[in-house]
Amino acid sequence: NKGTETSLKNYSQKPMRILHLATHGFYIPKTEMENYKDLDFLFLDNVDTDDIEDKELVRSGLLFAGANHTLEGDGVIPDGYDDGILTALEVASLDLIGLDIVVLSACQTGHGDLGDDGVFGLQRGFKKAGANSILMSLWKVDDEATQILMTQFYKKLVSGQSKRQSLQSAQRYLREYNAGQY
């Protein structure tokens, strides 16, 4: 219950080196928007801007505690809390300057629309918010494999390896672990 959108937003303007979010991510391609027109938070007309980038950033995000109430439309959102759905547009409005790395341990968080200015999705939102680097996934991930990968990644990171070296070491470990399992 403490893993809310509101609690994450409260970290805006606070010094952090690492932000790890293990939750559910979403990305809805433009071609599929018609399938989601009944979800108010994704309805593009609700974005009060003509800015194309802003409209693109509404179609990707992260789900937090309480998102199920919003998605099911039962309207049970406690006072003082957001809807549980943090869009990339909302992320972009945060002040995360000084954040060295954000780890999005959620499926398909690296997806977005490709435009003339790059990819519009969560990565754009976190970059605009000030994150220096982002670790995210382009596909659905297995929970156990993710746990192993992340554990190894952080072990290597705190031991002094760079972010890149830590990820490569963790990936190598996971491949070896999986090879031993089968």
Side-chain angles (χ1 to χ4, degrees), residues 27 104 106-112 119-123 136-139:
Y27 163 68
L104 301 177
C107 296
Q108 302 176 344
T109 51
H111 286 225
V119 178
F120 294 92
L122 278 167
Q123 66 278 18
M136 53 181 43
S137 173
L138 290 171
W139 50 85

Side-chain angles (χ1 to χ4, degrees), residues 108-171:
Q108 302 176 344
T109 51
H111 286 225
D113 282 336
L114 186 58
D116 292 340
D117 293 327
V119 178
F120 294 92
L122 278 167
Q123 66 278 18
R124 171 80 48 127
F126 277 102
K127 281 296 195 181
K128 286 182 82 167
N132 183 42
S133 56
I134 306 163
L135 179 57
M136 53 181 43
S137 173
L138 290 171
W139 50 85
K140 293 183 179 181
V141 293
D142 176 77
D143 289 341
E144 181 183 1
T146 301
Q147 178 195 9
I148 293 166
L149 181 76
M150 291 291 96
T151 300
Q152 292 303 310
F153 172 75
Y154 285 117
K155 280 182 181 178
K156 298 300 181 179
L157 192 62
V158 298
S159 76
Q161 287 189 2
S162 70
K163 293 172 277 194
R164 181 183 184 96
Q165 291 169 327
S166 297
L167 180 58
Q168 289 172 336
S169 295
Q171 289 170 323

Side-chain angles (χ1 to χ4, degrees), residues 2-177:
K2 293 181 182 179
T4 65
E5 175 186 3
T6 303
S7 65
L8 174 67
K9 287 179 177 180
N10 287 336
Y11 282 102
S12 186
Q13 298 183 335
K14 294 191 176 151
M16 296 185 279
R17 184 171 161 253
I18 299 171
L19 175 62
H20 182 107
L21 298 171
T23 186
H24 296 285
F26 70 89
Y27 163 68
I28 300 173
K30 242 188 248 188
T31 57
E32 294 180 24
M33 279 304 294
E34 187 63 27
N35 299 335
Y36 296 91
K37 65 183 175 187
D38 58 330
L39 297 177
D40 289 341
F41 79 98
L42 288 173
F43 193 58
L44 295 179
D45 290 340
N46 286 346
V47 178
D48 190 24
T49 181
D50 290 329
D51 188 323
I52 292 172
E53 180 179 33
D54 287 353
K55 289 184 178 186
E56 299 293 326
L57 293 178
V58 172
R59 294 186 290 105
S60 61
L62 299 167
L63 303 180
F64 288 88
N68 56 325
H69 295 298
T70 300
L71 294 171
E72 293 168 5
D74 65 13
V76 183
I77 300 171
D79 289 341
Y81 285 88
D82 290 303
D83 61 10
I85 301 165
L86 182 72
T87 66
L89 181 60
E90 290 173 297
V91 170
S93 71
L94 300 176
D95 179 353
L96 301 176
I97 302 225
L99 179 61
D100 186 39
I101 184 170
V102 60
V103 177
L104 301 177
S105 188
C107 296
Q108 302 176 344
T109 51
H111 286 225
D113 282 336
L114 186 58
D116 292 340
D117 293 327
V119 178
F120 294 92
L122 278 167
Q123 66 278 18
R124 171 80 48 127
F126 277 102
K127 281 296 195 181
K128 286 182 82 167
N132 183 42
S133 56
I134 306 163
L135 179 57
M136 53 181 43
S137 173
L138 290 171
W139 50 85
K140 293 183 179 181
V141 293
D142 176 77
D143 289 341
E144 181 183 1
T146 301
Q147 178 195 9
I148 293 166
L149 181 76
M150 291 291 96
T151 300
Q152 292 303 310
F153 172 75
Y154 285 117
K155 280 182 181 178
K156 298 300 181 179
L157 192 62
V158 298
S159 76
Q161 287 189 2
S162 70
K163 293 172 277 194
R164 181 183 184 96
Q165 291 169 327
S166 297
L167 180 58
Q168 289 172 336
S169 295
Q171 289 170 323
R172 201 170 23 259
Y173 179 90
L174 184 59
R175 279 192 297 274
E176 292 167 5
Y177 177 86

